C-alpha cells in the first residue's frame, strides 16, 4: 500500500563548498538548485549577494561569519565538497560542525544534523600515482571529521541518492527529523559510503583495493 506523505515543513540544508573561483561558485549554485529540486531548501554562500557582491559595500570578515554560521547551525542536512583545492572556509566549516556535534555527543544529546561529504574533483576520488605522488588529495583530518559524524559518499551521484533517501524517509515518517538522523546516517553509510573498486598507478597496475 502506498504511504501518504506526512505534512511536514521542508528540510533545510547547508552547502559547504569553495567559491573562490568562478567555476567553483557556479558549481555551488548548481548544487543548490539540485538540492531544491530534490526537496531540500538550502543555503549556498555563492548565492548570498550580501557577502559576495563587493560593489554593494565593504564586506568584513565578521559579515561572512554572521552570514554563514547561523545558517549552518540551523540546518538539518549539511553537505561538504572536499575538492583538495584552496578552501579554507569550507574546511573551517567542517571543523565547526565536528566541534558542534562532538559537544552535543559529550552532553548525551542527539545529533540534529546529517553530514555528508563528497568531492567534485575526480582526481581526489580516483588519483593516479607517479613515484608514489598522488595526482589529487584532501587533508585526512576534515575527511575524518566528516566520517566520524556523517558519511563520505564520494561522488555527486551517490550524494543525490543519499539526499533523495533522506527526503523520502523524512516525508513518509511520523517521527521528527532528529529521530531519523542516526538511522538514516547508518543506512547511507552501509549503502552509499564511497569505496573505489580500484586505484591505478602510473604504470597501470592496481595498487589499492
Amino acid at each position: 500500500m502506498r504511504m501518504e506523505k506526512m505534512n511536514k515543513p521542508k528540510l533545510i540544508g547547508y552547502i559547504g563548498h569553495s567559491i573562490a573561483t568562478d567555476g567553483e561558485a557556479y558549481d555551488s549554485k548548481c548544487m543548490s538548485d539540485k538540492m531544491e529540486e530534490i526537496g531540500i531548501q538550502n543555503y549556498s554562500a555563492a548565492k548570498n549577494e550580501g557577502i559576495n557582491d563587493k560593489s554593494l559595500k565593504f564586506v568584513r570578515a565578521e559579515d561572512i561569519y554572521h552570514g554563514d554560521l547561523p545558517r549552518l547551525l540551523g540546518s538539518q542536512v549539511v553537505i561538504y565538497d572536499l575538492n583538495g583545492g584552496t578552501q579554507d572556509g569550507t574546511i573551517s566549516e567542517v571543523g565547526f560542525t565536528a566541534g558542534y556535534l562532538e559537544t552535543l555527543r559529550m552532553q548525551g544529546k542527539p545529533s540534529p544534523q546529517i553530514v555528508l561529504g563528497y568531492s567534485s574533483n575526480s582526481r581526489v576520488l580516483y588519483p593516479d600515482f607517479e613515484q608514489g605522488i598522488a595526482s589529487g588529495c584532501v587533508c585526512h583530518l576534515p575527511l575524518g571529521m566528516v566520517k566520524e559524524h556523517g558519511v563520505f559518499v564520494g561522488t555527486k551521484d551517490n550524494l543525490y541518492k543519499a539526499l533523495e533517501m533522506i527526503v523520502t524517509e523524512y516525508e513518509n515518517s511520523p517521527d521528527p527529523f532528529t529521530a531519523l538522523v542516526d538511522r538514516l546516517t547508518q543506512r547511507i553509510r552501509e549503502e552509499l559510503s564511497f569505496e573505489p573498486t580500484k586505484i591505478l598507478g602510473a604504470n597501470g597496475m592496481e595498487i589499492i583495493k
Side-chain angles (χ1 to χ4, degrees), residues 131-152:
Q131 294 182 289
I133 301 172
S135 58
C137 66
V138 297
C139 177
H140 283 196
L141 179 56
L143 176 61
M145 290 175 176
V146 168
K147 294 181 70 174
E148 177 66 22
H149 294 284
V151 188
F152 183 73

Side-chain angles (χ1 to χ4, degrees), residues 103-110:
T103 299
L104 293 179
R105 176 190 285 175
M106 290 189 294
Q107 294 173 345
K109 297 178 181 179

Side-chain angles (χ1 to χ4, degrees), residues 114-146:
I114 293 178
V115 180
L116 301 174
Y118 74 103
S119 183
S120 60
N121 187 345
S122 61
R123 292 179 181 177
V124 166
L125 299 177
Y126 306 103
D128 197 3
F129 288 82
E130 177 69 33
Q131 294 182 289
I133 301 172
S135 58
C137 66
V138 297
C139 177
H140 283 196
L141 179 56
L143 176 61
M145 290 175 176
V146 168

Side-chain angles (χ1 to χ4, degrees), residues 19 30 41 54 66 73 165:
I19 58 173
C30 289
Q41 293 179 348
K54 304 302 189 287
H66 292 294
L73 284 171
M165 183 188 300

Side-chain angles (χ1 to χ4, degrees), residues 168-182:
T168 298
E169 179 76 12
Y170 170 70
E171 289 182 344
N172 291 291
S173 173
D175 296 326
F177 183 75
T178 50
L180 304 175
V181 169
D182 288 345

Side-chain angles (χ1 to χ4, degrees), residues 159-209:
L159 177 66
Y160 299 152
K161 290 176 183 176
L163 295 176
E164 289 167 353
M165 183 188 300
I166 292 167
V167 170
T168 298
E169 179 76 12
Y170 170 70
E171 289 182 344
N172 291 291
S173 173
D175 296 326
F177 183 75
T178 50
L180 304 175
V181 169
D182 288 345
R183 183 167 78 233
L184 276 168
T185 299
Q186 184 58 33
R187 182 181 168 194
I188 294 167
R189 185 174 289 125
E190 292 172 355
E191 298 182 20
L192 296 170
S193 184
F194 182 66
E195 297 290 344
T197 54
K198 63 181 178 179
I199 296 177
L200 301 180
N203 57 5
M205 296 186 65
E206 187 174 335
I207 58 175
I208 298 177
K209 288 187 177 180

